[in-house]
Amino acid sequence: MDLSALSDFLLVASHGGFGRAARASGRPKATLSRRVAELEASLGARLIERGERSLRLTEAGTLLHARTGPLLGEIAEAGAAVRGGMDRPRGRLRVSAPLLLSDTALGRIAARFVRAYPEVDLTIRSEDRLVDPVEEDFDVVIRVNPRPDARLVGRCVLRDAPWLVAAGDAVRPDPRVDGGPTPLSCVVRAEPRPGEVWTVREGSARLAFAPVPVLRLSSLPMLRDAVVAGAGAAVLPRSLVGGDVAAGRLALWGWLEGPPNEVWALHTSRRLVSPKVSAFVSYLAEALQPSDAHPGAPRTQSG
């Protein structure tokens, strides 16, 4: 495939017409039309349907634009960096992040990051939905326990253990004599399944609790506030309540058995990861590194 002709096709497709592409690039309209026609001939497929006043991409054209546009953009960015001897973090960086991480950590992390990398224009958009990084133009998406996605690669920046916590002055109920799970008044976000048991570790001890909801709230910060106020116990992420436990506002009654929650920073390209993306992901992983070695505390790891 002629990469120069491909670049001309992407230019026309992104501007929505030969005339607009010609005006934006300063190249003759006839030249762009000829180059796209040559590309179509070499591929044996029509890429653009030409109308009197407008054009539209064919199915083949749409596929080619989606698969090659980001790659050529990264190649151009890498070439500009090498030519200018400026292979450093710079330019616009758009990040999608879940609400809890945004509310508890990303404000201060973002502030420190832009001080460290003043040439990066950082935007973080916070929402609890699965955004499409390609369609919605995000450089990095942060996800909790993400499902495998062949389009995305990245790094686990935080392993966040779920902790069972209660108010600092609360008394943990004694285990049942018969060894069954101990009923536990708790604050929940989702109704426990029938027969659900919370099995936690505290040192070498293994404890089992049967959750009995006394309050249902829709967000983790609300759960945390209700537990501090003495409403009951709750299972909450270490990253949210670690400071409260250290300050004595909450008591740690153990950490749940099983794998921790994983927070991943993902991006779309395996080949050319821009300096700004690499810098942000590395900075995020370092900033989320836990400051203590308490059992159940998360650790960062490359993906």
Side-chain angles (χ1 to χ4, degrees), residues 5 11 13 15 47 118 120-121 168 182 221 231-232 234 243 247 261 275 283 287:
L11 177 68
H15 284 87
L47 303 175
V120 176
D121 180 11
T182 304
N261 293 315
Y283 197 93

Side-chain angles (χ1 to χ4, degrees), residues 236-251:
L236 292 167
R238 183 261 184 200
S239 60
L240 178 62
V241 298
D244 295 308
V245 171
R249 290 184 292 271
L250 292 176

Side-chain angles (χ1 to χ4, degrees), residues 14-284:
S14 62
H15 284 87
F18 289 98
R20 285 191 288 271
R23 289 190 292 274
S25 64
R27 301 181 62 201
K29 178 180 175 180
T31 300
L32 294 176
S33 181
R34 176 175 55 82
R35 296 289 286 159
V36 171
E38 291 172 352
L39 179 63
E40 290 176 321
S42 70
L43 295 175
R46 195 165 186 81
L47 303 175
I48 294 176
E49 293 288 357
R50 299 161 175 81
E52 292 185 3
R53 296 187 177 181
S54 64
L55 60 78
R56 67 176 182 85
L57 298 182
T58 64
E59 183 177 353
T62 300
L63 175 63
L64 187 64
H65 181 264
R67 294 289 296 274
T68 62
L71 292 177
L72 283 191
E74 290 182 357
I75 292 171
E77 183 177 320
V82 172
R83 285 194 301 272
M86 299 181 295
D87 191 10
R88 63 180 184 270
R90 61 185 305 181
R92 189 191 68 164
L93 179 64
R94 297 189 75 238
V95 178
S96 171
L99 288 171
L100 179 61
L101 184 64
S102 300
D103 291 344
T104 58
L106 285 187
R108 58 180 178 275
I109 292 174
R112 294 198 297 264
F113 178 80
V114 295
R115 285 199 298 269
Y117 300 99
E119 292 183 84
V120 176
D121 180 11
L122 176 62
T123 298
I124 297 179
R125 183 172 174 179
S126 304
E127 52 189 333
D128 285 335
R129 69 179 182 90
L130 201 63
V131 304
D132 186 314
V134 176
E135 293 294 328
E136 301 181 56
D137 193 25
F138 284 106
D139 301 288
V140 178
V141 291
I142 302 173
R143 294 179 179 170
V144 180
N145 297 329
R147 295 179 180 179
D149 187 330
R151 301 176 307 161
L152 301 177
V153 294
R155 177 179 180 181
C156 180
V157 296
L158 175 66
R159 284 187 167 85
D160 203 358
W163 281 4
L164 178 62
V165 294
D169 58 355
V171 178
R172 190 173 66 194
D174 294 327
R176 285 175 48 168
V177 176
D178 62 7
T182 304
L184 181 65
S185 298
C186 60
V187 184
V188 297
R189 190 164 59 160
E191 193 72 23
R193 300 182 302 274
E196 182 174 345
V197 175
W198 292 346
T199 303
V200 302
R201 292 275 183 181
E202 185 193 36
S204 60
R206 185 171 182 268
L207 309 171
F209 295 98
V212 180
V214 296
L215 183 59
R216 297 159 185 83
L217 299 170
S218 63
S219 75
L220 293 180
M222 281 200 295
L223 260 69
R224 174 256 175 204
D225 290 345
V227 175
V228 170
V235 173
L236 292 167
R238 183 261 184 200
S239 60
L240 178 62
V241 298
D244 295 308
V245 171
R249 290 184 292 271
L250 292 176
L252 174 61
W253 285 0
W255 49 96
L256 263 65
E257 290 187 333
N261 293 315
E262 293 189 343
V263 179
W264 283 72
L266 303 169
H267 51 87
T268 57
S269 174
R270 290 180 182 273
R271 298 177 181 85
L272 293 171
V273 182
S274 68
K276 63 188 177 185
V277 169
S278 296
F280 180 78
V281 172
S282 296
Y283 197 93
L284 182 65

